[in-house]
Amino acid sequence: MNEILCPHCKKAFKVDEAGYADILKQVRDGVFEKELHTRLELMEKEKESAIKLATANTRNELQEELAKREKLITQIKTTSDLELAKLQAKLDKSETEKKLELVEAVKNLEKERDILANKLVNKNTEQSLAEASLKSEYEAQIKAKDAEILMYKDMKAKLSTKMLGESLEQHCEIEFNRIRATGFKNAYFEKDNDATLGSKGDYVYRESDESGNEIISIMFEMKNENDTTATKKKNEDFLAKLDKDRNDKHCEYAVLVSLLELDNELYNNGIIDMSHKFPKMYVIRPQFFIPIITILRNAALNSLQYKSELAIVKAQNIDITNFEENIEKFKVSFARNYDLASRKFQDAIDGIDKTIVQLQKTKENLLRSEDHLRLANQKAEDLTIKRLTRDNPTMRAKFEELRDK
């Protein structure tokens, strides 16, 4: 027997060993359960802290990496845009210089025309002074010229409009082939026979440098008209089609070589710029066929360097675009991998939670088993011979007889 002092009334009482053990066991179970509950709470808090810390670190790293890459992309874009703007400014300057050179060339041609006109006036003056002595011969020449003009008009009246146009085309082709070997070795000048897009021009001029880079390209249209035609055509009637042919065949310039509107002084004064109606378009008389090619070709040679630099910058822009696409692919791939990792991480956390729940259930079952064993032990301890023989006089008599012996 053990003596225990009551903490409240300070009275001592005795309990047997089984009761004492039961009291100690109750105290131990309470402390164990409290400590287990405390540790489970600590584990839960540590788990949540670890999850939050890992998530925050991952998010910060991702944000820093994305910020660095976006900053790099912004810097590359800014540099590329500045270089592109510089080259575009150079190209615009070159275009302006080309126009100024063209205007200057037109002025020079007009000066030459005026000089020739003055010479003609002087010549007429000289002829007037010598008219008295050469009158008969002069009249004979006039008659011969009149006859020649009449013959020419009669010939033109007999020719169809198509034949007249072909005669002008042949004139231009002959003029070009005359100087092709000396001035245009790398040039292509042939008839436009491709009508797959619905229409075609008359001739296409293209020229490239030794590296194969195109210097200039011109779409030519030749137009003539029979003097006896009732309805007279105008140059402006053909500009829209010529502009379409230029765009369809990817030519830079368009030139209408025309003998239409012979009495129109606008077209008789030299090279006429029609860019106010259609971009990079000119109307000329046949005598300016070679000069227009030379003027446009020289201007294009001056801007070839800027075009090459612009092509390099455009290629760099394509590289930057590919780099941005790779960055976007990396972002998508990284986000997908992060999402998969996050799901696996969450699955692991859920597994831990399920394990904790299962352990909690196992603990509860063990505690219940211990309670059942304790009750069974108490019942076994309460089992005495007196209780067993209470309703059995025979067995009670046997036990009394055995005790007496």
Side-chain angles (χ1 to χ4, degrees):
M1 299 296 287
N2 293 304
E3 186 175 296
I4 297 176
L5 182 64
C6 178
H8 299 290
C9 62
K10 306 299 181 180
K11 183 179 179 180
F13 61 93
K14 293 183 178 181
V15 294
D16 56 8
E17 291 183 358
Y20 185 75
D22 185 54
I23 292 171
L24 288 177
K25 187 175 182 304
Q26 290 179 10
V27 173
R28 284 198 303 273
D29 288 344
V31 173
F32 174 75
E33 185 174 358
K34 183 178 180 181
E35 184 177 354
L36 180 61
H37 182 70
T38 302
R39 291 198 176 185
L40 287 174
E41 289 181 349
L42 289 174
M43 287 177 62
E44 186 69 22
K45 291 180 179 179
E46 289 178 356
K47 180 188 74 173
E48 292 178 356
S49 299
I51 292 172
K52 290 180 179 179
L53 181 60
T55 303
N57 291 337
T58 304
R59 185 181 294 109
N60 291 334
E61 290 176 0
L62 285 174
Q63 290 177 350
E64 290 177 359
E65 183 66 19
L66 290 176
K68 289 180 181 178
R69 292 183 181 277
E70 288 177 356
K71 182 178 179 181
L72 178 60
I73 291 172
T74 303
Q75 292 176 351
I76 294 174
K77 279 186 175 180
T78 303
T79 304
S80 176
D81 292 341
L82 290 174
E83 293 179 356
L84 186 62
K86 291 180 181 178
L87 289 176
Q88 189 63 43
K90 290 182 179 178
L91 187 60
D92 293 340
K93 182 180 179 181
S94 174
E95 291 288 339
T96 303
E97 291 176 352
K98 285 198 297 184
K99 289 184 177 181
L100 291 175
E101 290 177 359
L102 185 59
V103 171
E104 185 65 25
V106 171
K107 289 182 179 179
N108 292 334
L109 289 173
E110 290 176 349
K111 288 181 180 179
E112 292 179 1
R113 182 200 63 195
D114 294 338
I115 292 173
L116 290 175
N118 292 330
K119 288 181 178 180
L120 182 60
V121 171
N122 295 332
K123 185 176 180 181
N124 290 333
T125 304
E126 292 175 358
Q127 288 178 351
S128 298
L129 295 175
E131 187 176 0
S133 61
L134 300 174
K135 185 175 181 180
S136 59
E137 183 180 354
Y138 181 74
E139 290 178 352
Q141 290 180 356
I142 291 296
K143 290 180 180 179
K145 291 294 181 183
D146 290 339
E148 185 178 353
I149 291 171
L150 290 173
M151 182 183 65
Y152 178 71
K153 286 184 177 181
D154 183 63
M155 181 187 67
K156 287 179 69 179
K158 294 178 181 179
L159 293 175
S160 65
T161 303
K162 181 175 183 298
M163 288 299 295
L164 289 170
E166 289 180 352
S167 298
L168 182 57
E169 292 176 8
Q170 291 172 0
H171 165 76
C172 294
E173 187 172 359
I174 292 171
E175 289 297 315
F176 183 81
N177 290 332
R178 196 191 307 275
I179 60 172
R180 181 197 290 264
T182 56
F184 303 96
K185 294 181 180 179
N186 297 325
Y188 167 91
F189 182 74
E190 301 292 341
K191 286 187 68 66
D192 181 18
N193 296 317
D194 183 8
T196 56
L197 297 176
S199 65
K200 61 180 182 177
D202 287 333
Y203 280 86
V204 175
Y205 173 89
R206 295 185 189 277
E207 184 172 0
S208 303
D209 61 10
E210 299 297 334
S211 301
N213 299 316
E214 184 176 284
I215 299 173
I216 187 174
S217 56
I218 308 172
M219 171 62 71
F220 281 100
E221 184 83 12
M222 285 73 170
K223 287 299 172 185
N224 200 346
E225 190 173 48
N226 193 341
D227 292 337
T228 61
T229 303
T231 303
K232 300 295 183 180
K233 296 290 186 179
K234 294 185 177 181
N235 291 315
E236 293 186 2
D237 297 338
F238 301 95
L239 298 184
K241 175 185 174 298
L242 179 56
D243 184 66
K244 178 180 180 300
D245 293 336
R246 178 182 73 87
N247 291 321
D248 290 344
K249 303 304 167 58
H250 306 291
C251 293
E252 185 177 1
Y253 294 94
V255 176
L256 177 63
V257 184
S258 173
L259 284 174
L260 305 179
E261 301 182 72
L262 290 175
D263 56 346
N264 191 331
E265 290 300 322
L266 173 65
Y267 302 109
N268 294 332
N269 288 331
I271 298 172
I272 306 303
D273 186 357
M274 303 297 290
S275 57
H276 60 282
K277 290 184 175 292
F278 297 96
K280 296 186 176 182
M281 180 171 290
Y282 300 92
V283 177
I284 63 170
R285 295 303 187 196
Q287 61 267 32
F288 297 106
F289 173 69
I290 297 300
I292 189 67
I293 295 178
T294 304
I295 292 170
L296 295 178
R297 175 175 176 266
N298 292 338
L301 287 172
N302 293 333
S303 63
L304 181 62
Q305 179 181 358
Y306 301 124
K307 287 183 178 179
S308 301
E309 293 179 358
L310 186 60
I312 294 173
V313 171
K314 288 182 178 178
Q316 292 175 350
N317 287 338
I318 294 174
D319 294 338
I320 292 172
T321 303
N322 294 334
F323 178 75
E324 291 177 348
E325 291 177 355
N326 293 333
I327 289 293
E328 291 300 324
K329 289 180 181 178
F330 171 77
K331 287 181 180 180
V332 173
S333 178
F334 188 85
R336 184 171 60 83
N337 292 335
Y338 173 76
D339 183 59
L340 292 175
S342 177
R343 291 179 184 175
K344 296 293 183 183
F345 186 78
Q346 188 62 40
D347 291 342
I349 295 299
D350 293 339
I352 292 172
D353 292 337
K354 291 178 181 179
T355 303
I356 291 173
V357 171
Q358 189 64 34
L359 289 174
Q360 187 68 27
K361 291 180 179 179
T362 304
K363 173 193 169 186
E364 292 174 356
N365 292 333
L366 289 174
L367 291 176
R368 290 193 189 98
S369 298
E370 187 178 7
D371 291 338
H372 291 308
L373 289 173
R374 180 173 53 79
L375 293 173
N377 185 46
Q378 288 178 356
K379 291 179 180 180
E381 290 178 351
D382 291 341
L383 183 63
T384 59
I385 294 174
K386 182 182 290 186
R387 289 183 178 180
L388 288 174
T389 60
R390 178 179 299 172
D391 296 327
N392 193 338
T394 303
M395 290 300 298
R396 185 169 63 249
K398 291 291 184 181
F399 276 109
E400 286 177 356
E401 182 182 353
L402 183 63
R403 188 173 60 243
D404 292 339
K405 289 181 179 182

